[in-house]
């Protein structure tokens, strides 16, 4: 009999190598419970959370908690069905209307996760006769959506409008539709995309543009509409996809657009149709969190200040961070062993960050990925910087 | 010169050898993943460099069938011919 797991031999080897040298398994960290948005109990200790994507701290929103409790009490805890069968409650429609209004778009579709929003949008928009142009550093959900669609996939160099344009020019006689996909803020590095430049290019080449604002929704822009709002190019983005699992602190995803054609997406997007819809208490909490976000624009100012503080502090400590100041601040290290040791030392000293390893990182180097929150106090940020500095000195970096 | 599989293979090998981590004894029949120890991301990134050289874009699904340097050269030649 052929060993069905034989294909994982390479993965097994890297995994065993990693767990043999690390005092704890980096993939099995347990947050016993959050104490607040910025502190959680890990290994019995209060630990500063610098790797949660909870940018506005809204996972602990009082308003959202109350909405969830009340809704669970009156409506129950699940829908037990697909959006196109028994899984659409009044609340789902209401959330879609609210999000469409928020983004000033005609249409909104809500998905059960952000991952599915990418899968469901991309796979419904393009098929084998079309071409997808993906930023090389795209999130796994974008690559998976591309695979599911069956479209021809062409990668362009990360954040590089010139490279994108060159590739579109090569496709000038291709008869299919062309869809460009980019993110607002890149999840691993915090890099911000030049969406305004992509809009200019897609207009000249007759392509469509989809932006995944997963990490920038609620985070960037005066109103929190993301990188496209900051760059003043929202009209040129055909489809905006995003998630509730970061700035809104719940779970779920969306796609908003002005194209009327999307009404039929509800009947051909498999990741939308063939899965249960979000439970009512999640929808209610998401709506409440959205209101919280809109009522508290100061959270975004605080978040930007905090991002700048962490970014500057880590650079001053001599660590290698990206150039963009965004709520994702990634410290690049050279070797996996170094990164694993550094990450363990941070945790032992009360700071949790994400350990990101190749091939999930760009250019094959490991990252200590920090995400900043509006809920962090300046003291908490300074404490994290100090611990980073001490650990770096300890390892002679 | 990039108008035959041999020419393109030679160009690919030259580019590969610029990377000190690549074994010195590679030829057109070397397997990209097994012999060069490239993972899927490294393959995609390397192909980007070649794409610039030949002014073509290689769709990702085409990469799935490529095992050797000569396979890659043949694929690039076909794409280039289709584009001309
Ligand atoms: C860029 C990007 N898109 C989509 C997702 C998926 O979102 P979700 O966690 O809601 O499935 C993520 C986060 O994991 C992401 O970073």
């Amino acid at each position: 009999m052929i060993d069905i797991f034989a294909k994982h031999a390479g993965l097994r080897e890297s995994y065993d190598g990693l767990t043999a040298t690390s005092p704890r398994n980096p993939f099995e960290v347990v947050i016993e419970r959050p104490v607040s948005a910025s502190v959680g109990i890990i290994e019995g200790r209060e630990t500063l959370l610098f790797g949660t994507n909870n940018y506005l701290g809204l996972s602990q929103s009082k308003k959202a908690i109350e909405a969830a409790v009340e809704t669970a009490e009156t409506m129950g805890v699940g829908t037990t069905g697909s959006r196109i069968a028994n899984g659409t409650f009044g609340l789902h429609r209401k959330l879609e209307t609210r999000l469409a209004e928020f983004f000033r778009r005609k249409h909104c579709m809500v998905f059960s996760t952000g991952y599915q929003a990418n899968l469901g949008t991309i796979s419904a928009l393009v098929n084998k006769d079309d071409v997808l142009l993906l930023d090389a550093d795209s999130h796994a959900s974008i690559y998976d959506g591309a695979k599911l669609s069956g479209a021809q996939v062409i990668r362009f160099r990360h954040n590089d409008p010139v490279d994108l344009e060159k590739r579109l020019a090569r496709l000038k006689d291709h008869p299919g539709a062309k869809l460009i996909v980019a993110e607002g803020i890149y999840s691993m590095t915090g890099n911000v995309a030049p969406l305004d430049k992509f809009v200019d290019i897609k207009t000249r080449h007759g392509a469509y543009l989809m932006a995944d604002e997963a990490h920038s929704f609620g985070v960037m822009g005066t109103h929190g509409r993301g990188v496209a709002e900051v760059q003043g190019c929202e009209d040129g983005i055909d489809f905006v996809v995003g998630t509730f699992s970061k700035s809104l602190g719940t779970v779920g995803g969306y796609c908003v657009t002005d194209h009327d054609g999307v009404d039929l997406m509800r009947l051909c997007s498999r990741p939308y149709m063939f899965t249960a819809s979000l439970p009512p208490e999640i929808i209610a909490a998401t709506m409440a969190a959205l209101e919280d976000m809109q009522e508290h624009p100061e959270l975004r100012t605080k978040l930007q200040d905090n991002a700048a503080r962490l970014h500057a502090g880590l650079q001053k400590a001599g660590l290698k961070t990206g150039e963009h100041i965004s709520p994702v601040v990634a410290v690049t290290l050279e070797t996996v062993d170094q990164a694993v040791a550094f990450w363990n030392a941070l945790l032992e000293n009360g700071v949790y960050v994400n350990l990101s390893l190749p091939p999930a990182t760009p250019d094959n180097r490991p990252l200590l990925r920090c995400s900043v929150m509006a809920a962090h106090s300046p003291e908490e940020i300074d404490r994290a910087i100090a611990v980073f500095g001490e650990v770096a000195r300890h390892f002679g970096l | 010169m990039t108008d035959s599989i041999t020419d393109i293979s030679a160009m690919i090998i030259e580019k590969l050898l610029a990377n000190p981590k690549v074994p010195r004894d590679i030829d057109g029949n070397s397997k990209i993943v097994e012999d060069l120890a490239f993972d899927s991301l490294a393959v995609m990134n390397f192909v980007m460099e070649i794409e610039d050289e030949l002014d073509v874009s290689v769709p990702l699904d085409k990469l799935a069938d490529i095992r050797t340097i000569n396979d890659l050269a043949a694929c690039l030649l076909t794409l280039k011919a289709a584009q001309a």
Side-chain angles (χ1 to χ4, degrees), chain A residues 236-255:
Chain A
I237 315 260
D238 298 278
F239 308 94
V240 179
V241 170
T243 174
F244 310 142
S245 73
K246 305 180 195 302
S247 59
L248 294 187
T250 63
V251 66
Y254 62 86
C255 169

Side-chain angles (χ1 to χ4, degrees), chain A residues 53 112-118 138-142 183-188 212-215 241-246 250-253 369:
Chain A
N53 309 307
S112 298
T113 65
Y115 178 87
Q116 282 162 294
N118 272 331
S138 289
H139 189 260
S141 55
I142 295 172
E183 293 170 32
I185 293 179
Y186 281 80
S187 57
M188 284 292 151
D212 177 356
E213 299 255 24
H215 292 267
V241 170
T243 174
F244 310 142
S245 73
K246 305 180 195 302
T250 63
V251 66
R369 175 189 180 276

Side-chain angles (χ1 to χ4, degrees), chain A residues 29-274:
Chain A
V29 170
V30 177
I31 299 179
E32 281 141 39
R33 64 191 168 82
V35 177
S36 64
S38 59
V39 177
I41 306 289
I42 300 179
E43 298 176 3
R45 289 188 301 273
E46 286 205 354
T47 303
L48 284 175
L49 301 174
F50 273 87
T52 60
N53 309 307
N54 190 10
Y55 300 116
L56 303 179
L58 294 180
S59 71
Q60 307 299 317
S61 156
K62 235 183 144 52
K63 198 168 168 152
I65 294 166
E66 281 163 12
V69 170
E70 192 192 317
T71 306
E73 271 170 357
T74 54
M75 295 200 178
V77 291
T79 67
T80 67
S82 155
R83 284 298 304 275
I84 59 160
N86 58 307
T88 295
F89 288 7
L91 279 173
H92 295 81
R93 283 286 172 77
K94 202 162 147 190
L95 175 60
E96 287 178 335
T97 306
R98 292 267 178 93
L99 280 167
E101 281 166 10
F102 175 81
F103 283 100
R104 305 190 302 183
R105 300 277 182 169
K106 281 164 80 176
H107 307 282
C108 172
M109 270 172 85
V110 162
F111 294 81
S112 298
T113 65
Y115 178 87
Q116 282 162 294
N118 272 331
L119 246 61
T121 303
I122 296 172
S123 65
L125 287 174
V126 290
N127 67 19
K128 64 177 179 25
D129 300 322
D130 303 316
V131 185
L132 274 167
L133 292 117
L134 309 186
D135 183 288
D137 288 358
S138 289
H139 189 260
S141 55
I142 295 172
Y143 278 105
D144 292 357
K147 234 185 209 169
L148 188 62
S149 76
Q152 247 192 42
V153 181
I154 291 174
R155 295 165 89 226
F156 61 93
R157 289 183 192 275
H158 174 56
N159 271 358
D160 187 339
V162 175
D163 193 59
L164 171 62
E165 179 139 39
K166 208 156 61 180
R167 288 166 193 279
L168 273 166
R170 284 175 197 147
L171 290 167
K172 69 178 184 321
D173 298 323
H174 193 287
K178 287 142 208 157
L179 176 66
I180 304 162
V181 184
E183 293 170 32
I185 293 179
Y186 281 80
S187 57
M188 284 292 151
T189 53
N191 289 350
V192 176
L195 294 180
D196 50 351
K197 300 213 170 62
F198 294 160
V199 165
D200 177 46
I201 291 170
K202 76 116 204 186
T203 312
R204 278 189 282 113
H205 288 268
Y208 291 86
L209 175 59
M210 172 184 139
D212 177 356
E213 299 255 24
H215 292 267
S216 32
F217 166 43
V219 165
M220 305 280 281
T222 311
H223 301 90
R225 294 196 301 267
V227 170
E229 185 188 0
V230 175
Q231 298 177 350
C233 63
E234 288 170 279
D235 289 349
I237 315 260
D238 298 278
F239 308 94
V240 179
V241 170
T243 174
F244 310 142
S245 73
K246 305 180 195 302
S247 59
L248 294 187
T250 63
V251 66
Y254 62 86
C255 169
V256 294
T257 180
D258 287 327
H259 290 286
D260 295 329
V262 295
D263 54 353
L264 284 180
M265 253 172 62
R266 294 190 201 264
L267 299 178
C268 63
S269 170
R270 300 169 69 89
Y272 175 82
M273 300 157 69
F274 295 105

